[in-house]
């Protein structure tokens, strides 16, 4: 029985649900098993759950697992390719079924009137060969995928000798074969399909689709709708099979893709190493530094490539530009003995590689701090979009709520590390502004909150936020930013803008609006914060209004109706001014006699005494 199972279960509970590869390690840190998964969390959990019904081989492997590592990929197919590459590299003890891929492998189109595609380990039989390929497993998978996409026959019948001798097999009926045995496909038409299959293997899915798209359009113009429909279905199959070919169809032969993420004062640098146009390995490094990310990356790159001179690729893809980048290119070129280029992609395929590296860094940080990768990524995206020096770990959001001109309240919600911190929520009942004035009410709430911080009179106000978000636009930001500055603080202040349907649209700053549409994780976090602060403030407003409102309190005085109560509130504007008014002033404004004014004065004093 593995005594590490409780720790492994706790670690796996925080694992991402993304596709990827997991690497099981023993106590000596040796890799003993490598597997792929469509959902890393579900797959790895299956090894460590209680009362698991494992085969003897798997049970033996689990007994020797001391820890595990993982690499996140963009798709299950990428995980498959990466798994094969890593097994070839590490030869783990428990991956015996895939460890027999030795030497080079080939794809062979047989020398027949109706050629078949097979994966071969040598060139013994006659035919046209594509390759060689390093991985026999990938070669077999390529043959299988190509046969499926182009519906090529995989049976042992001879063509054309066996035409119409038997009925088509099951593969034809489930659309895994075009049914050559029926004798309805000419050798010329079949040759065109074989040519398309070769293009698909040699050039990848994108060029293959372009060529078949042109053929489909030509067939449609010639009213050959049956051929056009066949090409349409083949294009759909090729597109589906090739939608995640980034590992095989990379723009560069070899490259290191480097990105970083930060959470709770810890930085993680992820490096994805591509060799032979395939993801070869991943390395991650953790730092707890107070320097800028450019300084950290500068130090990291210099030390890393100093110790890896023998394996410096010709291309290093960075998430952001470094000062004096040409100098680093010259230095690394000297290390490598050949030209090394540093690239910071702005768009296109390489940006997807950088994002994948960043995702891996986020997931590593999330695992370390017990968060999710999306939470870490959302804070990082939000910090970058707002131009903050580091991701905001402690966020306060404010929203003013009222019912008509009554029950003016402000709700304050707190998000720590991307999650609601409900014990830190605060509610403000307006004391100075009891009429509808969002700017004045927001100013009063923020002023009171910061005064509490200076006084240190309440634990919930003792920590300053890294970011203040206001439910409103540029006007709210321009009102509150000077208030924060008057206290001698430098807290960033931004507004949360909604569209006409009351949905989150953008962030508002003193200089205009900032769109977050390109940062999906940050946008979802902002929407969650805005919805939460709105819910909290509205709930408080309704609770106050249900109990009593200032206006209803005044109408409890005999002779004071709703119109007179509203007239008093509008005239004195604030509860403080109303409290200071004398009975004579109240009598004059409300138009009541001395006895009523005296009762009104007493009621107001009782109201304000409870505030």
């Amino acid at each position: 029985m593995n005594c590490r199972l409780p720790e492994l279960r706790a670690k796996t509970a925080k694992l991402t649900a993304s596709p990827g590869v997991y690497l099981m390690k023993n106590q000596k840190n040796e890799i003993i098993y490598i597997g792929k998964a469509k959902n890393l969390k579900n797959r790895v959990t299956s090894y460590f759950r209680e009362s698991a019904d494992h085969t003897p081989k798997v049970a033996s492997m689990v007994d020797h697992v001391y820890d595990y590592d993982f690499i996140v990929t963009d798709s299950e197919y990428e995980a498959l390719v990466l798994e094969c590459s890593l097994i070839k590299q590490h030869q783990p003890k428990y991956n015996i079924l895939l460890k027999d891929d030795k030497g080079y492998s080939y794809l062979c189109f047989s020398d027949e009137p109706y050629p078949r595609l097979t994966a071969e380990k040598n060139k013994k039989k006659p035919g046209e060969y594509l390759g060689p390929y390093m991985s026999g497993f990938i070669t077999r998978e390529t043959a299988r995928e190509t046969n499926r996409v182009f519906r090529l026959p995989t049976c042992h019948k001879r063509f054309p000798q066996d035409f119409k001798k038997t009925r088509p097999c099951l593969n034809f009926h489930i659309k895994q074969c075009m049914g050559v045995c029926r004798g309805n496909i000419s050798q010329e038409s079949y040759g065109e399909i074989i040519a398309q299959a070769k293009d698909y293997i040699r050039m990848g899915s994108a060029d293959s689709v372009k060529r078949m798209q042109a053929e489909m359009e030509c067939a449609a113009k010639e009213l050959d709708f049956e051929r056009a429909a066949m090409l349409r279905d083949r294009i759909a199959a090729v597109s589906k099979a090739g939608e995640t070919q980034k590992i095989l169809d990379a723009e560069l032969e070899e490259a290191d893709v480097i990105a970083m993420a930060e959470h709770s004062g810890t930085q993680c640098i992820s490096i994805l190493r591509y060799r032979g146009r395939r993801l070869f390995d991943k390395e991650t490094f953790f730092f707890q530094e107070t320097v800028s990310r450019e300084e950290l990356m500068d130090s990291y790159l210099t030390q890393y490539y100093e110790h890896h001179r023998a394996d410096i690729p010709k291309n290093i893809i960075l998430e952001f530009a470094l000062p004096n980048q040409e100098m680093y290119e010259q230095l690394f070129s000297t290390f490598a003995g050949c030209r090394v280029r540093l690239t910071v992609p702005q768009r296109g395929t390489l940006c997807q590689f950088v994002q994948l590296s960043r995702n891996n860094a986020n997931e590593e940080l999330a695992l370390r701090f017990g968060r999710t990768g999306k939470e870490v990524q959302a804070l990082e995206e939000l910090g970058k979009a707002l131009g903050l020096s580091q991701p905001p770990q402690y966020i306060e959001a404010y929203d003013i709520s009222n019912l008509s001109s009554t029950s003016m309240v402000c709700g304050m919600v707190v998000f720590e590390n991307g999650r609601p911190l409900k014990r830190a929520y605060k509610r403000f009942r307006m004391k100075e502004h009891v009429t509808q004035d969002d700017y004045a009410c927001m100013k009063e709430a923020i002023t009171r909150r910061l005064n509490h911080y200076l006084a240190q009179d309440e634990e919930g106000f003792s920590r300053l936020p890294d970011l203040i978000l206001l439910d409103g636009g540029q006007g709210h930001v321009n009102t509150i930013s000077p208030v924060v500055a008057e206290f001698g603080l430098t807290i960033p202040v931004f507004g949360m803008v909604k569209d006409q349907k009351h949905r989150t649209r953008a962030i508002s700053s003193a200089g205009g609006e900032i769109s977050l549409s390109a940062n999906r994780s940050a946008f979802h976090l902002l929407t969650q914060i805005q919805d939460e602060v709105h819910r909290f403030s509205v709930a408080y407003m309704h609770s106050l209004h249900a109990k009593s409102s200032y206006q209803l309190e005044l109408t409890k005085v005999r002779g004071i109706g709703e119109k007179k109560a509203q007239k008093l509130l509008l005239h004195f504007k604030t509860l403080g001014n109303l409290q200071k008014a004398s009975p004579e002033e109240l009598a004059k404004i409300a138009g009541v006699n001395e006895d009523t004014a005296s009762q009104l004065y007493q009621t107001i004093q009782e109201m304000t005494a409870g505030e």
Side-chain angles (χ1 to χ4, degrees):
M1 181 68 178
N2 192 336
C3 61
R4 285 273 300 167
L5 286 179
E7 290 84 357
L8 292 170
R9 291 185 189 121
K11 178 178 179 178
T12 307
K14 306 168 188 174
L15 195 60
T16 176
S18 302
V21 172
Y22 53 94
L23 301 89
M24 301 296 189
K25 299 180 179 181
N26 62 17
Q27 195 166 2
K28 297 179 180 179
N29 204 36
E30 298 170 340
I31 297 175
I32 60 174
Y33 182 75
I34 297 173
K36 66 179 183 298
K38 183 177 182 180
N39 183 314
L40 277 170
K41 183 174 184 177
N42 291 349
R43 187 68 185 95
V44 178
T45 298
S46 68
Y47 288 104
F48 307 131
R49 66 173 182 261
E50 295 181 4
S51 303
D53 185 19
H54 295 314
T55 63
K57 172 188 167 185
V58 174
S60 176
M61 183 271 293
V62 172
D63 284 342
H64 289 84
V65 175
Y66 186 81
D67 198 1
Y68 68 86
D69 196 3
F70 62 92
I71 300 177
V72 178
T73 63
D74 272 346
S75 68
E76 189 178 9
Y77 180 75
E78 284 191 0
L80 171 69
V81 177
L82 179 57
E83 178 199 34
C84 180
S85 174
L86 293 175
I87 290 173
K88 185 92 172 182
Q89 176 187 352
H90 297 286
Q91 297 287 296
K93 175 181 178 180
Y94 290 95
N95 284 98
I96 57 175
L97 294 177
L98 299 180
K99 288 170 61 178
D100 59 351
D101 290 333
K102 299 179 181 179
Y104 294 109
S105 298
Y106 303 87
L107 290 171
C108 175
F109 287 90
S110 60
D111 185 17
E112 301 176 81
Y114 290 81
R116 304 166 191 271
L117 172 62
T118 57
E120 303 292 338
K121 288 189 175 183
N122 49 55
K123 291 185 175 181
K124 291 183 178 180
K125 73 177 188 180
E128 180 181 355
Y129 287 84
L130 303 181
Y133 301 100
M134 290 294 294
S135 170
F137 179 71
I138 289 299
T139 307
R140 294 193 297 273
E141 286 297 308
T142 301
R144 183 188 64 80
E145 188 69 24
T146 304
N147 282 326
R148 185 188 64 81
V149 168
F150 291 91
R151 299 171 65 181
L152 302 179
T154 57
C155 60
H156 298 288
K157 296 177 182 178
R158 298 176 301 164
F159 306 124
Q161 295 92 321
D162 292 337
F163 278 174
K164 298 183 179 180
K165 288 186 177 180
T166 59
R167 291 181 295 178
C169 64
L170 179 62
N171 282 345
F172 170 74
H173 294 289
I174 63 174
K175 298 185 178 180
Q176 294 292 308
C177 177
M178 67 180 74
V180 179
C181 58
R182 297 179 302 159
N184 297 335
I185 301 173
S186 67
Q187 190 172 339
E188 181 182 1
S189 297
Y190 187 85
E192 292 178 1
I193 297 172
I194 292 296
Q196 292 172 359
K198 292 176 182 177
D199 288 341
Y200 173 65
I201 295 171
R202 287 169 175 154
M203 300 183 297
S205 60
D207 291 337
S208 180
V209 166
K210 288 180 181 178
R211 181 169 297 186
M212 287 190 289
Q213 186 79 30
E215 293 181 22
M216 182 184 69
E217 293 174 356
C218 181
K221 289 180 181 179
E222 295 175 358
L223 304 182
D224 188 353
F225 298 118
E226 183 177 355
R227 173 174 167 76
M230 178 190 65
L231 288 166
R232 177 202 62 200
D233 295 341
R234 193 167 298 145
I235 289 171
V238 169
S239 299
K240 182 178 179 181
E243 64 186 359
T244 56
Q245 292 284 329
K246 285 197 314 220
I247 288 180
L248 296 177
D249 295 341
E251 295 181 7
L252 308 173
E253 180 68 27
E254 61 176 25
D256 285 350
V257 184
I258 305 173
M260 67 181 298
E262 183 177 357
H263 186 73
S264 296
T266 299
Q267 301 84 24
C268 176
I269 293 181
S270 167
I271 174 169
L272 298 182
R273 303 171 63 203
Y274 287 82
R275 301 294 185 268
R277 300 193 180 186
R278 287 171 171 81
L279 181 55
F280 177 73
D281 201 0
K282 178 194 83 166
E283 291 185 86
T284 52
F285 300 86
F286 292 93
F287 304 90
Q288 288 184 322
E289 303 289 342
T290 56
V291 299
S292 68
R293 60 177 188 161
E294 288 80 9
E295 291 176 298
L296 178 60
M297 187 65 76
D298 171 16
S299 176
Y300 162 77
L301 287 178
T302 305
Q303 294 182 48
Y304 181 81
Y305 287 113
E306 168 67 27
H307 290 88
H308 293 78
R309 293 190 178 204
D311 192 27
I312 299 179
K314 295 181 180 179
N315 297 278
I316 299 174
I317 313 301
L318 300 177
E319 179 184 8
F320 50 82
L322 295 176
N324 303 317
Q325 194 156 293
E326 297 80 6
M327 180 181 68
Y328 292 105
E329 288 186 344
Q330 182 179 357
L331 177 64
F332 298 152
S333 297
T334 302
F335 286 169
C338 62
R339 174 70 188 278
V340 177
R341 295 174 59 89
L342 270 66
T343 306
V344 181
Q346 302 300 319
R347 61 182 65 85
T349 304
L350 290 182
C351 280
Q352 298 177 13
F353 284 83
V354 172
Q355 182 61 50
L356 182 59
S357 183
R358 189 185 303 117
N359 289 347
N360 275 274
N362 284 327
E363 293 294 347
E364 291 285 355
L365 282 171
L367 188 62
R368 171 166 287 202
F369 288 98
R371 319 304 285 181
T372 67
K374 288 183 179 179
E375 288 171 342
V376 175
Q377 183 175 342
L379 292 173
E380 185 184 10
E381 289 180 359
L382 185 60
K384 288 181 179 179
L386 302 184
L388 306 182
S389 59
Q390 58 184 10
Q393 305 300 326
Y394 197 82
I395 302 173
E396 289 181 2
Y398 296 83
D399 183 25
I400 301 297
S401 185
N402 67 86
L403 187 62
S404 183
S405 295
T406 64
S407 301
M408 298 296 297
V409 299
C410 178
M412 181 191 96
V413 302
V414 176
F415 274 62
E416 184 177 34
N417 294 327
R419 295 182 183 178
L421 185 65
K422 294 195 174 184
R423 68 174 183 272
Y425 285 15
K426 299 295 180 183
R427 303 181 296 186
F428 299 88
R429 184 174 180 178
M430 294 301 101
K431 296 181 178 181
E432 296 296 326
H433 300 87
V434 294
T435 55
Q436 193 167 0
D437 187 340
D438 276 15
Y439 294 160
C441 291
M442 189 72 78
K443 183 176 181 180
E444 178 186 337
I446 298 294
T447 300
R448 286 164 57 184
R449 185 264 181 267
L450 296 179
N451 277 329
H452 281 300
Y453 167 73
L454 294 180
Q456 291 290 301
D457 57 0
E458 190 174 338
E459 183 179 355
F461 290 120
S462 61
R463 179 178 178 180
L464 285 178
D466 301 320
L467 172 66
I468 290 177
L469 295 176
L470 312 173
D471 191 82
Q474 190 171 351
H476 287 79
V477 176
N478 292 335
T479 299
I480 300 307
S481 293
V483 175
V484 176
E486 288 174 5
F487 280 83
L489 303 173
T490 56
I491 306 172
V493 178
F494 292 88
M496 300 178 290
V497 186
K498 295 180 180 178
D499 59 20
Q500 295 179 348
K501 296 183 179 180
H502 211 67
R503 296 178 299 193
T504 306
R505 180 169 59 82
I507 283 276
S508 178
S509 67
E513 291 188 1
I514 302 171
S515 175
L516 291 179
S517 57
N519 302 293
R520 295 183 59 186
S521 296
F523 182 80
H524 290 321
L525 174 61
L526 181 68
T527 300
Q528 183 185 2
I529 293 174
Q530 191 167 31
D531 291 343
E532 177 66 0
V533 71
H534 180 72
R535 178 203 64 78
F536 185 66
S537 62
V538 169
Y540 180 44
M541 179 268 295
H542 281 303
S543 67
L544 281 184
H545 189 77
K547 295 177 181 178
S548 63
S549 67
Y550 295 134
Q551 187 169 325
L552 288 176
E553 287 289 336
L554 295 178
T555 58
K556 292 180 180 179
V557 178
R558 185 180 180 87
I560 301 296
E562 291 184 2
K563 290 185 178 180
K564 289 183 178 180
Q566 188 175 20
K567 187 177 181 180
L568 286 166
L569 291 173
L570 291 174
H571 180 270
F572 291 102
K573 296 187 181 301
T574 69
L575 192 58
N577 292 337
L578 190 61
Q579 181 188 19
K580 297 174 184 177
S582 65
E584 290 76 17
E585 290 176 307
L586 295 174
K588 181 179 178 181
I589 299 303
V592 296
N593 58 37
E594 184 177 342
D595 291 339
T596 302
S598 178
Q599 294 178 25
L600 181 60
Y601 178 83
Q602 184 63 33
T603 299
I604 292 172
Q605 299 308 309
E606 292 174 356
M607 287 169 52
T608 55
E611 296 298 317

